[in-house]
Every structure is written in structure tokens, then in C-alpha cells.
Amino acid sequence: MGSASRGKGLVEQAELFSLEDLAPPKAQASFKLDSPRSPARGFNRAPDQTVSKSKLIAGYLAKYQFVTKGGLYIDGFAAPQKRDDETAWTARRVLEINPPRIRRLWLCDNDPKGLLQLRRLKAAHHRKPAFRHVSIMEGDFNETVKTILMAGRMYKRTPVFALLDQRTAECHWSTVQLLARKAGVRKIELMYFLGTSWIHRSLTQSRTPARTTQLDKWWGGDTWRSLVELTQQDLALHVANRFIKELGYSYVKPYPILQRDGEKKVAFYLIHASDHPDAPKLMGRAYLDVVGDIARSPVDSQRNWLDDPAP
Ligand SMILES: C[S@@+](CC[C@H](N)C(=O)[O-])C[C@H]1O[C@@H](n2cnc3c(N)ncnc32)[C@H](O)[C@@H]1O
């Protein structure tokens, strides 16, 4: 468990890659970045940050499945964030990657309306193609994750990607540890959501025993109180360092997702943790495709590496 310290430095242990590494790969799965959106405009439309998140993850997995020749996908918090706008829905975008190579997907949620949407999504994709299995896991992911890990579907060499797209603090640190410690030739690859632009408020305003207990489970102890001293970026680096130091991942990078396209304010970070040396390069390419060459991101081409080496 980590107490708050400035996270800079340790993340540099992760592999850095040059812009030459970011040339498009020869073979690319087709994933339509600009698939039509509905509703076209207005109140029910998902915000840019949600759209970017879903595009980045599906864009990455479209590349990843070429390297892994398939693999398994666990989505711990899988129902659409904006229930009325399914076009910005990560699980749906992942299922629509063409060609479909991910063989088995576990889509988990605890909300009845979200589960209905997940079941409709399953009906459209289960066994299409025949090798593809979609399982809907109902209930608290911190419990259902144990069933998934014990299901006997993960052999030593099976590549597995897990998306932990919590709203704020629903994913227990013990759940992240379980995934990270699953035995295999490689670790389960993780994409962890960190809501940096609202977590400070949540940390300072949480006073009821129920809420502090939830934060203790999220953080894996009670040292989360000192996180309020960190800037948003340092908080992202601090959490990224936990994936290296506590969980043993080799390649960890925090990707900022902007609140609105074309503006600078960061809404949240997606922390990508892998022990595959190609993973950060593929994620860097996907990030450039979807979000762009953003200042202080892992693919910032204008970074002064001497004065500002992280992330
Ligand atoms: C941020 S949304 C997920 C967004 C989704 N990944 C997308 O791409 O649109 C978080 C989801 O987690 C669900 N949820 C909250 N707590 C949960 C828990 N303990 N176990 C499983 N699902 C949970 C909520 O119902 C909600 O659908």
C-alpha cells in the first residue's frame, strides 16, 4: 500500500519509446474511430471524455489483438457510462472491432438497467463468430472477479486484458492485486481509471464511516487522506508507481484524457500497466490516433526530457 509521495521518477522505469516507434504497424485491425454517433446532439450525448476513453481502449485492442492473435477481455464496470448514448460505450466498441479475434469477454456490472443493456449487447455478439463467448457477470465486480479468475479459461500463455473503468472508487485495491497476481507467463494487462479531477473533492468530503470504509477498500488502506496534497498529475504518477512497485508491472504509463476535445483540462487518467514490451508502443499509437500529441502525456513530442522527464 502506498502513502502519498511525489510519483516522479519511478515511472521512468517503464520503457520509453521514440516517435519512430510510433509508425503505423503493417497490419491494422479496422476500428472505425468516427463511427456514427447517436443522439447526434444535445442533452443525452456522452461527453467528449467518455467518447475518447472508449475510442482509445478499442483502438488499442484492435492493435493488441494482432500481436496476441486473440486473447480474453474482462470489463469490470461494463455498462455504458451514459446509458442513453451507446455509441460511446467501450464494451460495444470492443465487440465491434473487425476482424473479431478476442475469443472470450466477461462483461460485469451491478446495475439492473445497465445489465439489461449488457444482455442486449451479448445477444448481438455471443457466438458470432462461433468461437466468441460473451458472459455477463451480475453483481459486485470485487466478488465476480474471483469467479472469472477461477473459471479455468486462462491458460499460462493466454493474453488477458482487464478494463477497470470505475466511476470513482468502486474497484477495491485487493481486486487489482488479484488480477495482477494471477499466475501466467505474462501478467494480466490492466487499464485502470483514475478520476483525478473529482477525486480530491471525494477525499475531502468523505466523512461518514460507510464512505471512509469504501475509500479504504479502494486504496487498500487508510493512507488515502494524504493524497489531497498532490496535484492531479502527481496523483496519477503516484498511482502508476504503485503498479510498478507493489504489483510488479514493467511498463506503466498514465494517459490523460481531456474533458473536451481541443481544450487542455484533464478529466481523468487511464493507467495502462503491462509486462509486454510492445504494449506501451501500441498504446502510444492508439493515443496519438484518438487524443493526439498532448502536453505532458506519454507521447508528448514537445517534452523537455531533461527538465521534465516523467511520465
Ligand atoms: C464509469 S461506468 C462504466 C462505463 C463503461 N465502461 C463505458 O465504457 O461506458 C461504471 C459502471 O460501473 C457500475 N458499477 C458500480 N459499482 C460497481 C461494482 N461494485 N461492481 C460492478 N459494477 C459496478 C455502474 O453501474 C456503471 O455502469
Side-chain angles (χ1 to χ4, degrees):
M1 165 192 27
S3 59
S5 65
R6 289 177 74 84
K8 279 185 184 169
L10 291 169
V11 174
E12 290 166 66
Q13 289 172 14
E15 185 187 70
L16 299 174
F17 51 95
S18 67
L19 281 180
E20 290 85 77
D21 290 330
L22 300 177
K26 285 187 189 105
Q28 261 184 320
S30 73
F31 161 66
K32 282 196 243 153
L33 287 179
D34 297 316
S35 51
R37 304 245 347 243
S38 68
R41 284 188 180 281
F43 185 67
N44 289 328
R45 190 172 158 139
D48 289 348
Q49 64 201 50
T50 306
V51 178
S52 298
K53 175 175 66 182
S54 61
K55 283 182 179 175
L56 176 61
I57 293 160
Y60 171 71
L61 286 169
K63 300 177 196 304
Y64 163 99
Q65 66 165 18
F66 262 109
V67 176
T68 59
K69 316 237 178 338
L72 314 182
Y73 174 80
I74 302 171
D75 195 331
F77 304 84
Q81 169 133 11
K82 188 83 179 149
R83 302 286 198 243
D84 301 329
D85 185 358
E86 295 191 353
T87 55
W89 184 7
T90 310
R92 177 178 158 183
R93 284 190 189 269
V94 170
L95 279 160
E96 288 176 356
I97 293 170
N98 193 30
R101 291 200 170 167
I102 296 173
R103 304 182 70 80
R104 186 173 283 273
L105 301 93
W106 288 273
L107 308 179
C108 316
D109 212 278
N110 67 354
D111 172 68
K113 182 169 178 232
L115 283 159
L116 279 179
Q117 289 175 277
L118 286 170
R119 290 198 178 96
R120 277 204 304 273
L121 189 67
K122 173 177 175 172
H125 293 277
H126 182 64
R127 292 290 200 168
K128 297 170 195 158
F131 65 74
R132 171 165 276 179
H133 287 255
V134 181
S135 301
I136 307 301
M137 305 295 290
E138 177 175 348
D140 181 358
F141 178 62
N142 299 293
E143 292 303 321
T144 55
V145 66
K146 297 170 193 162
T147 312
I148 296 169
L149 292 177
M150 289 192 315
R153 301 291 171 193
M154 293 168 203
Y155 304 105
K156 276 198 160 169
R157 298 193 173 276
T158 312
V160 186
F161 180 95
L163 171 61
L164 304 175
D165 188 14
Q166 60 195 325
R167 282 216 167 99
T168 308
E170 292 80 18
C171 187
H172 301 171
W173 191 249
S174 59
T175 297
V176 185
Q177 288 172 323
L178 269 183
L179 289 160
R181 291 178 184 158
K182 171 78 179 163
V185 171
R186 290 195 186 280
K187 284 174 163 299
I188 292 180
E189 200 165 312
L190 299 178
M191 184 67 105
Y192 180 86
F193 174 93
L194 185 65
T196 46
S197 66
W198 56 89
I199 198 82
H200 275 87
R201 191 166 12 113
S202 182
L203 298 177
T204 48
Q205 292 179 358
S206 295
R207 296 207 176 83
T208 65
R211 187 64 191 153
T212 54
T213 301
Q214 188 188 10
L215 288 171
D216 288 352
K217 288 182 177 167
W218 165 71
W219 190 247
D222 62 6
T223 53
W224 50 265
R225 288 180 177 81
S226 55
L227 298 176
V228 292
E229 293 155 21
L230 300 179
T231 63
Q232 288 190 32
Q233 199 199 23
D234 282 344
L235 174 57
L237 291 169
H238 179 66
V239 175
N241 276 314
R242 294 188 77 189
F243 283 80
I244 296 173
K245 297 195 93 175
E246 295 177 35
L247 304 177
Y249 281 94
S250 306
Y251 307 99
V252 182
K253 288 180 184 291
Y255 288 87
I257 302 296
L258 304 179
Q259 201 157 48
R260 284 191 201 82
D261 295 346
E263 296 183 10
K264 288 190 178 161
K265 190 168 171 14
V266 173
F268 53 81
Y269 282 78
L270 291 172
I271 295 176
H272 179 222
S274 173
D275 64 356
H276 195 299
D278 289 338
K281 297 174 199 167
L282 296 178
M283 184 60 79
R285 285 189 197 122
Y287 187 84
L288 281 174
D289 288 349
V290 173
V291 186
D293 185 351
I294 300 297
R296 300 183 67 77
S297 76
V299 297
D300 177 3
S301 64
Q302 303 300 311
R303 180 181 296 280
N304 177 342
W305 291 99
L306 289 178
D307 297 341
D308 189 15

